Amino acid sequence: MWQYFLRRFIYMLFTVWIISVITFAVIQLPPGDYVTTMVSQMIQSGMDDLPPDFEAQIRAQYGLDQPMYVQYGKWLRNIVVEGKFGYSYIYRRDAKDIILERLPVSFAISAFSVLFVWIVALPIGIYSAVKQYSKADYFVTFVGFIGLAIPNFLFALILMFISYRYMDRAMIGLFSQEYETAPWSLAKFIDLVKHLWIPVIIIGTAGTAGLIRTMRANLLDELNKPYVDTARSKGLPERVLLWKYPVRHALNPFVSTIGWILPSLIAGELIVSIVLNLPTTGPVVYNALLDQDMYVAAGIILILSTLTVLGTFISDLLLALLDPRLRLQ
Amino acid sequence: MDVTLHDTTPEYDSPLGGNLPAAETEDELRLEVATQWQLMWWKFRKHKLAMFSAGIIILYYLVAIFAEFFAPWERTQYIADYVYAPPQPIHFFADGKLDLHVKALKFERDPQSFKKIWEIDEENKIDVGFFVKGADYKVGLHWLPIPYINDLYFTTDRHFFGAKDPTQPMYLMGADKSGRDVLSRLIYSTRISLSVGLVGVVISLILGIVLGGLSGLIGGWVDNVVQRMIEIVMSVPDLPIMLAIAASVPLDWSVERVYFIITILIALRSWTGLARVVRSKFLSLREDDFILAARLDGTPQRRLIFRHMLPSFYSHIIASLTLALPGMILGETALSFLGLGLRPPAVSWGVMLQETQRVAVLALYPWLLWPAVAVIIIVLAFNFLGDGLRDAADPY
Amino acid sequence: MFDRMRVKLGVLAIVMVMALGLISPAIVPQAQAQDSQYNESPMLAALVAAGELPPVEERLPENPAVVTPFNEIGQYGGNLRFGFVGANPGWGGMWYTTGWENLVIWKPDFSGVDPNIAESWEVSDDVREYTFHLRKGLKWSDGVEFTADDIMFYIDDLLFHPEVHVNGPAADWLPTAGAEEFRAEKIDDYTVKLIFANPNGTFLYNLATWAGRHLTWFPKHYLMQFHADYNENVDELVAQEEGVEDWVGLLNKKASGPTEDTQNFYLYPERPTLFPWVVEKPLGGGTTITMVRNPYYWKVDTEGNQLPYIDTVTGYSYQDSEGRTLAMLSGDLDYIKDPDAADRILFFDAVDEGKPLAISTLYNDAGVNNTIHFNRTIGDPVKAEIFADKNFRIGMSHAINREELIEIVHAGQGTPAQASPLESSPLYNEQLATQYIEYDVDLANEYLDMVLPEKDSDGYRLGPDGKRFSIIFTVDNGLSYGTNWVQIAEILIGYWDAVGVEVKLNSIADDVFREVRDNNELEATIYTGEGGAGVTAILDPRYYIPAEFFGMFGNGWYHWRVGSEQGVKVPMPEEYVAMRTKFETEVLGAPTQEEQIEAMKEILEMAADEFWVIGTARPGTGYQIYHSRLGNQPSEWIAGWIEGVQKITYPEQWYIME
């Protein structure tokens, strides 16, 4: 057992390290660096008379004139030794601070979305498996899939526009202005819920389709198994028959893959957050990538990846604890 | 998944069915002798929505291939006075007779807001019809960047549908910001957007089968390496990585090359799932009775893989690929939204939808959203088709 | 850029008022409210009562600047909600509303400059020496007095410091030629004399623009601690600070300049400023930045009320401009900078629907909406030669259907024109404005046949080398003000296609665009059309004389002229060098206003013969949306970078109406 644990742990560290290298390399791919972006921005704003040596000078001040492996080494050293994820040129703070500020919101929205997905997808999945090929089956799957089919960004804009047209106030961000800086209260929570439904529906509906499909397929598999026949032949009522074992069994496979949900939720969240102006990690990554604020971009990607790897690691461990056969593999 | 025949009647049509067997003996016999593909087809037919979806998808691809024929207008053709013109309703009768036509539009501009106030020009009737004459154009596979195959085209001047005088305005889905026909552009954009998915699927298919196959067949350290690779790809949030790569596309690249890199990017999202499926299939097949039998018979490894193992899960692969396609189509639109996808003058659904990312469009020119409808329909169709295929993939 | 120009404000003022047709109340000469009691915001009065702040008389300078409100005396209080796109409050537009105080300031009608931080000034006869008298008792936002020492700190310890400016003194207000010989003298605590090596006639105008900010930007008492000359132990501070490698980096970061992004200002609440509002809570990782009134702000209205009227400013950061648009429409914002022309109908409709919004008319200072550049310094000699051929450009210009372009892209607003000063400007040149603007395909072909007579089987013209003459038209798609350029380019390409010239669209992001420019790989492009209103053609002659930064028709010449390090340099022909010299000496160095304009007219005559760039159309009127509760907004105003964007509407006298 311990050997298995140790081996998996070393694999995990190795994976995270590779991810850090890839991330850092990919982030550096686009031409130019933060100084390029900054100078572009200044010129765009009208400052066309920058001294010729301006760029080089700032680059030196930021240490951006050093070779990439030196920058990578520094970055990794700071993460490991000081727990700093790199300095953000946009925010002029450590990337960790920004990530810590924004990650909870990302998680909260993701959590609500997962909840929404489950509430919507499981009944639809079960229903459509039981009533396979009926009109009702087609209808519920159609409803379940429609959210996936609408491009997220458009869905967000349309819902936002509808809220402006028919509620007189566009539901942008997480809070109304008056609650934005106010301390927590019931009213603030209600305000939050009022705003939260838009992102949750958009991110959620994009994920329901996959879950409906898995649920439906798993359940159909289960229902074809001999024990169901046996149970039925023994006169067990259909309802009990369905819920007692097949549904539970059908749920199993995707409980174990829940770790993989995070990256896809983050991806979905990114676009929705840009349109809806949500203070999540998505827009920060997006800006950081566009403006070449590389430490923030690399830092957030690394953290999210690590969390995913960690999630799978833990779920693997739990599985191993439950199922001794796995340890031997 | 073994090919030995069951004795019992398959219960695929009524999983909970209380009204069991009673199947006719003839039918039973038919099932006994049917090939795997026949069985799958019979099963697939049962999924009505999937059948219907397959029809829609075929229609889409036909439109994509013969876009020049179906589009009433060239994709860059425009009329300056029809900028943001609303859709012209089509009339079927004139003076009590069947006479397909639309009415021209005219506008007055509000001096303050510059808003165009449109009016139907009752005087100006524009006859429309099928197989109308226009300028000469090529139709066929001339647009494919593959030598020899792109010689497969013919030249014609007939369009499927359009105004009898091709210079007259006919905007059935309205006009865009440059006075171009939304319908025609929508038809042209189908080509790029649908092929992005196809090319992407081929790439992820190759990656998935090769890597998943190696991993499952050889095992050992190869398996370990591939497993780590999959883990890494799945752990890293794909969108930021795609953004970074898309942002680094060299600026002097032609539309075709940008298109290609975007396809690869989109494909990179989906090969891992396939690789995992392939791997686990190979793993379980290795132990399976019929493979063991074949091996004991002295079948060479290569034949074992290509004749026995792969065919047994072709259907699964096809189903997962079908389900991966809509994701790729949506991926193309998402990249365009972020300003990192295809760019004008290319016309794709993403490029067209990028222009609808405005409150002003929703409020004032909602007809520009037609491409979204096209996307929704095809994504749904692929999903239902994929579901049908998946159900059918395991016909026993 | 606009180096030397004899200043005769009176003449210029009359000229510009005539030019713009805008007459609005200017600032009243100061010194009338001397002995009267000053009033202050209740918010500050409370602090004074609590003993946390000295009384208003002690906070204001002896002789505060007096601003005449645009419409009426405002009320104190309220919160201004400002919406911007991105994570960058300054560049998002807050500079122009909450910052930007220089020694002098534009009059609201752009007819000349008024005293601002400087109380008065004298200019020597050779316009080389400028003596500024500062306001006694004017204080930084932390209550420390602003004196001549602050200016001297900037000049001696930053501008001329070999470690801060490694390659010698450089600043956007300081002419490159003779920068080393520039000197500054402190006469007394409130008097500074700036001495230029050469006559510098446009200096006061320069000072009123963004370029003038640095002279009054650096609080010595606060920045000393980050300067190695004043603090031996500065390295300890460097070690504590993240993201800086040395003390220069630290100083730059804390001071937002001189060799750093000025954006930093919005990150450090503790940094003293001279602006109406100071940062209270920076944006951080969140979506709002809050600013609060500067208790030591040194301007009053005509009744002695200390400005600004508005107590606090909240900046709301939006990821996407559509979110900002919806927030504005919903009445959740008071002001946004640069609402998109495409949203015009949306906002006018909203006003008609009774939303709490108001709109003011905005006059663009540009001569044309867009200019089209063919880079005659391009590396490919075949293309360079063709682009330099005037007949080629004439042909390409005649091929453009400008009326149609105006209808499609500019909602039918504007008239066809080449890049040139407006009809209302004293610099108007009819030839420059109207030559080659007719849409005439035959004429276009005639001219193009003189340059590229041969055609291939597809009807495209062949170059002298026998290959199809194909131009890559590179468009910067990442600019906030160039959102329709790709659309325009697509239309233009259609026109040129019709006359057999193959042009391919290459739409790229902003920083990539700059890289293409630096590498001089830019063949052809589309850009803005500055230099229309009044004498802006003198202040920003980018499309009238060669080798300007945005003169991309001669991209390599610019890099050659300034000796840039990263740009590809292409030597400029003698005659063009002579043209620049003529501009610098005869226009900017002319003794009287009339002579400057006369000399500039000669330059424009030459520009007309050269036909550097192809213009499209005169700009139509723009609009500015704001919340109807916002008082003291001008009903119409001239907007441009030179004019100071929103600063020319004096945001310190805006107020929230109850």
Side-chain angles (χ1 to χ4, degrees):
Chain A
M1 182 66 210
W2 280 108
Q3 208 191 342
Y4 174 78
F5 172 83
L6 200 67
R7 201 177 63 206
R8 290 285 301 142
F9 187 73
I10 291 169
Y11 279 162
M12 186 186 77
L13 284 187
F14 181 73
T15 309
V16 169
W17 177 68
I18 295 278
I19 289 175
S20 82
V21 174
I22 293 175
T23 307
F24 202 80
V26 169
I27 298 285
Q28 304 267 0
L29 275 182
D33 52 25
Y34 178 72
V35 177
T36 324
T37 314
M38 184 176 116
V39 171
S40 288
Q41 206 160 24
M42 292 168 108
I43 292 173
Q44 194 187 138
S45 304
M47 298 176 66
D48 52 357
D49 242 11
L50 296 170
D53 57 334
F54 187 78
E55 276 193 61
Q57 217 171 323
I58 299 185
R59 206 159 274 140
Q61 278 174 34
Y62 289 171
L64 284 171
D65 52 348
Q66 292 158 343
M68 190 177 135
Y69 62 87
V70 174
Q71 294 183 32
Y72 172 77
K74 266 190 178 173
W75 180 60
L76 199 66
R77 196 197 72 90
N78 281 342
I79 293 177
V80 177
V81 179
E82 297 178 38
K84 287 180 178 167
F85 278 82
Y87 181 69
S88 160
Y89 298 114
I90 299 179
Y91 299 97
R92 310 274 158 175
R93 296 193 304 170
D94 191 73
K96 188 188 63 195
D97 300 347
I98 298 144
I99 296 167
L100 285 181
E101 220 167 294
R102 296 236 170 180
L103 215 51
V105 185
S106 289
F107 278 136
I109 291 177
S110 298
F112 275 112
S113 304
V114 171
L115 209 65
F116 175 84
V117 169
W118 282 57
I119 290 172
V120 172
L122 291 187
I124 292 184
I126 295 169
Y127 186 79
S128 81
V130 173
K131 305 264 171 178
Q132 198 186 9
Y133 301 141
S134 68
K135 285 208 177 86
D137 169 24
Y138 295 150
F139 178 74
V140 290
T141 31
F142 183 84
V143 171
F145 283 12
I146 191 100
L148 171 82
I150 306 175
N152 271 351
F153 52 91
L154 203 61
F155 202 5
L157 192 67
I158 289 173
L159 286 186
M160 207 158 73
F161 180 70
I162 288 174
S163 72
Y164 160 69
R165 258 286 109 103
Y166 301 102
M167 296 156 75
D168 211 37
R169 206 136 199 231
M171 291 297 161
I172 309 160
L174 274 188
F175 300 103
S176 303
Q177 265 174 11
E178 54 267 38
Y179 294 110
E180 184 127 3
T181 45
W184 278 102
S185 62
L186 185 65
K188 184 170 179 170
F189 182 74
I190 291 170
D191 185 62
L192 173 70
V193 174
K194 264 190 196 165
H195 283 78
L196 210 56
W197 66 270
I198 296 186
V200 165
I201 284 185
I202 297 164
I203 302 170
T205 48
T208 44
L211 198 58
I212 291 175
R213 183 175 297 126
T214 321
M215 187 66 211
R216 180 171 179 271
N218 288 349
L219 192 55
L220 281 176
D221 279 354
E222 284 301 318
L223 289 175
N224 279 332
K225 285 192 175 159
Y227 77 87
V228 178
D229 284 343
T230 318
R232 186 177 291 123
S233 63
K234 284 187 173 172
L236 208 64
E238 284 295 312
R239 179 175 294 269
V240 181
L241 179 76
L242 181 67
W243 288 100
K244 186 97 181 167
Y245 295 106
V247 169
R248 283 198 208 168
H249 275 262
L251 277 172
N252 267 351
F254 62 84
V255 171
S256 65
T257 56
I258 201 157
W260 300 117
I261 290 179
L262 189 70
S264 63
L265 278 178
I266 295 293
E269 175 260 304
L270 188 147
I271 287 180
V272 174
S273 295
I274 288 174
V275 180
L276 295 177
N277 208 41
L278 304 177
T280 62
T281 48
V284 174
V285 181
Y286 179 66
N287 283 344
L289 282 168
L290 289 193
D291 293 352
Q292 314 236 0
D293 193 1
M294 54 176 186
Y295 293 124
V296 175
I300 296 185
I301 295 175
L302 185 65
I303 288 182
L304 293 178
S305 318
T306 309
L307 285 175
T308 314
V309 175
L310 204 67
T312 19
F313 173 66
I314 292 171
S315 76
D316 278 4
L317 277 190
L318 289 176
L319 279 177
L321 278 177
L322 294 174
D323 188 352
R325 282 176 304 171
L326 276 173
R327 285 176 236 161
L328 293 171
Q329 265 185 18
Chain B
M1 179 53 63
D2 50 358
V3 279
T4 51
L5 295 173
H6 286 278
D7 290 328
T8 51
T9 310
E11 296 167 352
Y12 50 80
D13 50 348
S14 53
L16 280 184
N19 49 348
L20 269 176
E24 290 165 47
T25 38
E26 208 176 309
D27 228 19
E28 239 174 85
L29 256 177
R30 207 162 62 108
L31 281 168
E32 303 274 332
V33 298
T35 65
Q36 188 189 355
W37 295 104
Q38 271 174 323
L39 286 172
M40 279 165 61
W41 168 241
W42 291 337
K43 177 126 194 207
F44 178 70
R45 269 192 324 201
K46 289 201 181 279
H47 200 311
K48 301 257 166 41
L49 209 50
M51 285 290 287
F52 182 68
S53 299
I56 288 181
I57 290 166
I58 291 169
L59 198 71
Y60 263 68
Y61 274 94
L62 280 178
V63 167
I65 293 168
F66 302 109
E68 288 88 351
F69 174 66
F70 286 105
W73 277 21
E74 241 270 89
R75 64 201 169 101
T76 53
Q77 199 177 336
Y78 64 89
I79 299 177
D81 281 339
Y82 277 75
V83 168
Y84 286 133
Q88 286 163 280
I90 191 148
H91 300 273
F92 293 93
F93 299 99
D95 307 325
K97 278 182 296 180
L98 186 68
D99 180 7
L100 228 48
H101 69 277
V102 293
K103 295 273 172 61
L105 297 173
K106 54 186 180 184
F107 69 89
E108 266 174 58
R109 186 174 270 125
D110 180 290
Q112 277 296 309
S113 68
F114 307 158
K115 188 180 189 171
K116 284 174 155 185
I117 295 134
W118 292 94
E119 217 181 296
I120 291 172
D121 186 355
E122 293 293 346
E123 307 290 287
N124 202 344
K125 178 167 152 276
I126 296 150
D127 288 325
V128 299
F130 287 93
F131 301 105
V132 291
K133 248 184 163 170
D136 273 358
Y137 65 91
K138 295 172 182 172
V139 67
L141 298 174
H142 59 96
W143 45 273
L144 277 172
I146 308 167
Y148 302 113
I149 291 182
N150 60 13
D151 288 336
L152 298 173
Y153 66 86
F154 58 94
T155 308
T156 176
D157 58 354
R158 296 282 172 179
H159 289 269
F160 177 61
F161 183 77
K164 285 181 178 160
D165 175 358
T167 60
Q168 288 296 307
M170 186 193 78
Y171 294 93
L172 298 184
M173 286 188 179
D176 72 357
K177 63 173 181 181
S178 294
R180 295 172 300 203
D181 180 27
V182 172
L183 174 63
S184 300
R185 287 175 70 77
L186 183 58
I187 287 173
Y188 274 97
S189 62
T190 314
R191 183 174 286 171
I192 285 187
S193 297
L194 285 183
S195 59
V196 161
L198 272 193
V199 178
V201 153
V202 170
I203 296 170
S204 68
L205 175 75
I206 294 168
L207 278 174
I209 290 193
V210 169
L211 291 172
L214 283 178
S215 177
L217 279 173
I218 302 177
W221 69 269
V222 177
D223 184 31
N224 218 331
V225 168
V226 174
Q227 285 288 88
R228 293 285 84 72
M229 268 172 74
I230 292 176
E231 194 178 9
I232 288 169
V233 172
M234 288 183 83
S235 305
V236 178
D238 50 3
L239 208 53
I241 295 294
M242 283 166 71
L243 286 180
I245 296 177
S248 62
V249 172
L251 52 107
D252 52 350
W253 278 25
S254 60
V255 171
E256 290 82 26
R257 286 172 82 181
V258 174
Y259 165 84
F260 188 65
I261 194 90
I262 286 180
T263 324
I264 291 181
L265 275 178
I266 291 171
L268 284 180
R269 301 172 86 176
S270 54
W271 69 270
T272 53
L274 193 65
R276 282 158 67 97
V277 172
V278 173
R279 173 180 175 270
S280 65
K281 285 288 171 197
F282 271 124
L283 276 181
S284 66
L285 280 176
R286 272 204 310 200
E287 319 287 319
D288 231 322
D289 295 343
F290 80 100
I291 296 293
L292 193 65
R295 189 175 284 142
L296 290 176
D297 269 357
T299 318
Q301 179 83 355
R302 172 196 282 264
R303 190 179 160 77
L304 201 64
I305 296 168
F306 287 99
R307 289 291 301 171
H308 296 277
M309 294 170 96
L310 267 179
S312 68
F313 60 96
Y314 273 155
S315 49
H316 274 270
I317 292 176
I318 293 171
S320 0
L321 288 180
T322 314
L323 291 172
L325 255 162
M328 297 190 182
I329 290 168
L330 286 170
E332 191 262 332
T333 64
L335 273 186
S336 280
F337 161 74
L338 295 169
L340 296 162
L342 289 164
R343 299 181 290 250
V347 209
S348 71
W349 289 337
V351 171
M352 290 185 83
L353 284 179
Q354 199 186 359
E355 307 201 333
T356 64
Q357 290 316 302
R358 307 195 55 97
V359 179
V361 167
L362 297 184
L364 304 165
Y365 326 114
W367 54 87
L368 293 183
L369 289 172
W370 278 113
V373 177
V375 170
I376 293 170
I377 290 174
I378 192 77
V379 169
L380 282 176
F382 269 119
N383 270 296
F384 290 128
L385 177 69
D387 270 358
L389 287 175
R390 173 180 290 210
D391 284 357
D394 210 348
Y396 302 106
Chain C
M1 176 196 272
F2 14 89
D3 302 342
R4 291 168 281 276
M5 180 179 168
R6 175 69 120 141
V7 181
K8 278 277 173 66
L9 278 182
V11 180
L12 187 63
I14 294 163
V15 165
M16 307 265 287
V17 171
M18 289 186 336
L20 301 174
L22 296 168
I23 314 250
S24 52
I27 288 191
V28 172
Q30 57 271 46
Q32 70 194 53
Q34 279 293 351
D35 295 319
S36 67
Q37 188 68 34
Y38 294 118
N39 300 314
E40 63 189 322
S41 161
M43 176 187 162
L44 295 182
L47 288 174
V48 174
E52 288 171 28
L53 206 64
V56 62
E57 286 78 15
E58 288 173 31
R59 301 200 308 270
L60 284 169
E62 279 181 12
N63 183 9
V66 180
V67 175
T68 308
F70 279 25
N71 302 327
E72 65 269 323
I73 299 290
Q75 302 155 354
Y76 279 121
N79 176 37
L80 178 79
R81 300 162 302 170
F82 188 96
F84 61 94
V85 179
N88 216 317
W91 299 126
M94 290 186 77
W95 275 127
Y96 323 112
T97 39
T98 66
W100 205 337
E101 296 289 358
N102 296 349
L103 283 168
V104 299
I105 191 168
W106 289 114
K107 290 175 189 290
D109 58 2
F110 190 53
S111 61
V113 295
D114 268 333
N116 203 46
I117 293 174
E119 186 172 21
S120 60
W121 56 83
E122 288 109 39
V123 185
S124 71
D125 286 341
D126 60 356
V127 286
R128 280 183 52 239
E129 296 179 21
Y130 288 80
T131 311
F132 290 97
H133 302 282
L134 306 176
R135 293 176 196 275
K136 199 172 177 187
L138 187 148
K139 295 179 184 67
W140 292 99
S141 54
D142 60 354
V144 176
E145 200 175 8
F146 170 83
T147 66
D149 286 336
D150 290 303
I151 297 180
M152 296 307 292
F153 172 76
Y154 163 56
I155 289 165
D156 291 340
D157 297 321
L158 300 178
L159 187 61
F160 279 87
H161 198 286
E163 285 175 65
V164 180
H165 281 276
V166 186
N167 296 345
D172 31 10
W173 56 269
L174 183 63
T176 324
E180 292 281 356
E181 291 99 80
F182 169 83
R183 279 182 302 121
E185 284 171 16
K186 173 182 168 184
I187 308 289
D188 60 47
D189 276 355
Y190 306 105
T191 315
V192 174
K193 190 185 224 175
L194 307 177
I195 305 157
F196 293 92
N198 306 306
N200 187 5
T202 49
F203 182 53
L204 284 179
Y205 294 114
N206 245 327
L207 272 186
T209 69
W210 181 252
R213 74 197 178 284
H214 271 166
L215 283 162
T216 49
W217 189 264
F218 301 100
K220 180 182 180 181
H221 65 281
Y222 169 72
L223 294 174
M224 269 169 19
Q225 54 178 322
F226 308 117
H227 199 298
D229 289 2
Y230 293 88
N231 182 359
E232 291 172 5
N233 306 321
V234 73
D235 286 341
E236 289 169 21
L237 293 174
V238 173
Q240 288 167 23
E241 190 74 27
E242 281 171 45
V244 292
E245 306 274 311
D246 53 20
W247 72 266
V248 179
L250 176 68
L251 182 91
N252 265 315
K253 185 177 170 181
K254 294 290 184 183
S256 339
T259 53
E260 237 285 31
D261 192 350
T262 40
Q263 165 67 23
N264 283 10
F265 160 72
Y266 285 95
L267 301 161
Y268 303 112
E270 70 274 16
R271 181 203 194 284
T273 76
L274 295 170
F275 305 146
W277 294 276
V278 294
V279 179
E280 187 182 40
K281 184 184 81 56
L283 189 60
T287 53
T288 56
I289 169 175
T290 55
M291 301 183 77
V292 65
R293 60 182 309 131
N294 170 3
Y296 293 93
Y297 192 61
W298 37 275
K299 290 186 189 176
V300 295
D301 68 11
T302 42
E303 290 182 5
N305 300 308
Q306 188 194 20
L307 296 175
Y309 292 127
I310 295 172
D311 277 341
T312 56
V313 180
T314 308
Y316 291 90
S317 156
Y318 291 88
Q319 264 309 310
D320 184 52
S321 64
E322 297 311 301
R324 190 182 71 158
T325 304
L326 276 175
M328 190 75 221
L329 283 168
S330 306
D332 282 344
L333 293 173
D334 293 312
Y335 207 90
I336 57 176
K337 180 182 172 278
D338 293 341
D340 198 314
D343 293 336
R344 185 184 177 104
I345 301 175
L346 217 51
F347 285 121
F348 274 82
D349 279 1
V351 171
D352 289 345
E353 285 166 24
K355 299 269 182 200
L357 298 171
I359 294 172
S360 63
T361 305
L362 204 135
Y363 293 102
N364 198 318
D365 70 345
V368 280
N369 287 313
N370 293 110
T371 48
I372 297 149
H373 302 239
F374 293 101
N375 179 11
R376 50 173 84 179
T377 62
I378 191 80
D380 179 349
V382 175
K383 280 183 178 155
E385 198 193 319
I386 301 288
F387 291 162
D389 194 325
K390 190 177 165 187
N391 287 330
F392 170 75
R393 298 195 299 279
I394 295 174
M396 297 296 266
S397 180
H398 279 306
I400 299 170
N401 186 347
R402 289 182 174 76
E403 294 285 0
E404 191 181 84
L405 196 67
I406 292 168
E407 179 58 44
I408 295 177
V409 186
H410 303 297
Q413 307 302 306
T415 49
Q418 300 288 3
S420 58
L422 298 172
E423 283 76 357
S424 54
S425 162
L427 293 165
Y428 176 67
N429 179 314
E430 193 185 339
Q431 184 197 345
L432 184 62
T434 59
Q435 61 185 349
Y436 322 123
I437 56 171
E438 307 81 35
Y439 171 56
D440 189 335
V441 174
D442 294 336
L443 200 58
N445 276 319
E446 216 170 283
Y447 275 105
L448 289 170
D449 285 344
M450 290 186 231
V451 193
L452 303 162
E454 307 294 329
K455 286 186 184 177
D456 65 13
S457 55
D458 290 334
Y460 286 109
R461 293 176 186 276
L462 302 174
D465 51 359
K467 282 185 270 180
R468 183 185 286 186
F469 190 74
S470 179
I471 304 168
I472 297 175
F473 197 78
T474 305
V475 179
D476 189 338
N477 62 20
L479 297 176
S480 54
Y481 44 80
T483 45
N484 56 15
W485 290 357
V486 171
Q487 185 194 5
I488 297 173
E490 283 189 284
I491 295 168
L492 290 174
I493 285 168
Y495 295 144
W496 291 328
D497 201 74
V499 293
V501 180
E502 186 182 63
V503 182
K504 289 178 179 165
L505 176 60
N506 178 31
S507 150
I508 54 176
D510 185 53
D511 45 351
V512 190
F513 183 81
R514 212 161 50 80
E515 202 179 290
V516 182
R517 282 189 55 192
D518 282 349
N519 300 338
N520 202 20
E521 286 161 355
L522 195 69
E523 292 185 7
T525 192
I526 181 170
Y527 221 78
T528 52
E530 276 83 355
V535 292
T536 51
I538 295 174
L539 297 176
D540 187 354
R542 55 171 78 171
Y543 304 128
Y544 307 127
I545 59 170
E548 287 291 307
F549 183 79
F550 285 110
M552 285 164 286
F553 56 88
N555 189 47
W557 297 338
Y558 166 77
H559 295 297
W560 175 77
R561 177 174 73 85
V562 300
S564 74
E565 279 170 22
Q566 71 250 26
V568 173
K569 292 173 247 189
V570 179
M572 188 156 63
E574 277 301 318
E575 47 176 321
Y576 297 154
V577 176
M579 191 170 166
R580 275 203 73 91
T581 316
K582 184 180 165 73
F583 174 76
E584 280 161 17
T585 54
E586 291 180 26
V587 179
L588 303 181
T592 68
Q593 182 73 56
E594 290 82 356
E595 278 172 274
Q596 285 164 14
I597 289 176
E598 283 316 306
M600 189 63 200
K601 280 183 170 173
E602 282 173 38
I603 297 278
L604 291 169
E605 202 63 48
M606 294 162 86
D609 291 335
E610 284 294 339
F611 191 40
W612 301 115
V613 293
I614 298 172
T616 56
R618 296 282 193 222
T621 52
Y623 73 102
Q624 171 67 51
I625 184 81
Y626 57 95
H627 199 288
S628 52
R629 70 175 190 154
L630 205 57
N632 277 344
Q633 294 292 315
S635 61
E636 49 180 39
W637 50 291
I638 180 159
W641 173 248
I642 289 180
E643 292 83 353
V645 204
Q646 271 74 27
K647 189 63 193 174
I648 203 165
T649 68
Y650 286 63
E652 58 267 28
Q653 53 93 47
W654 296 358
Y655 75 103
I656 309 287
M657 295 189 283
E658 290 308 328

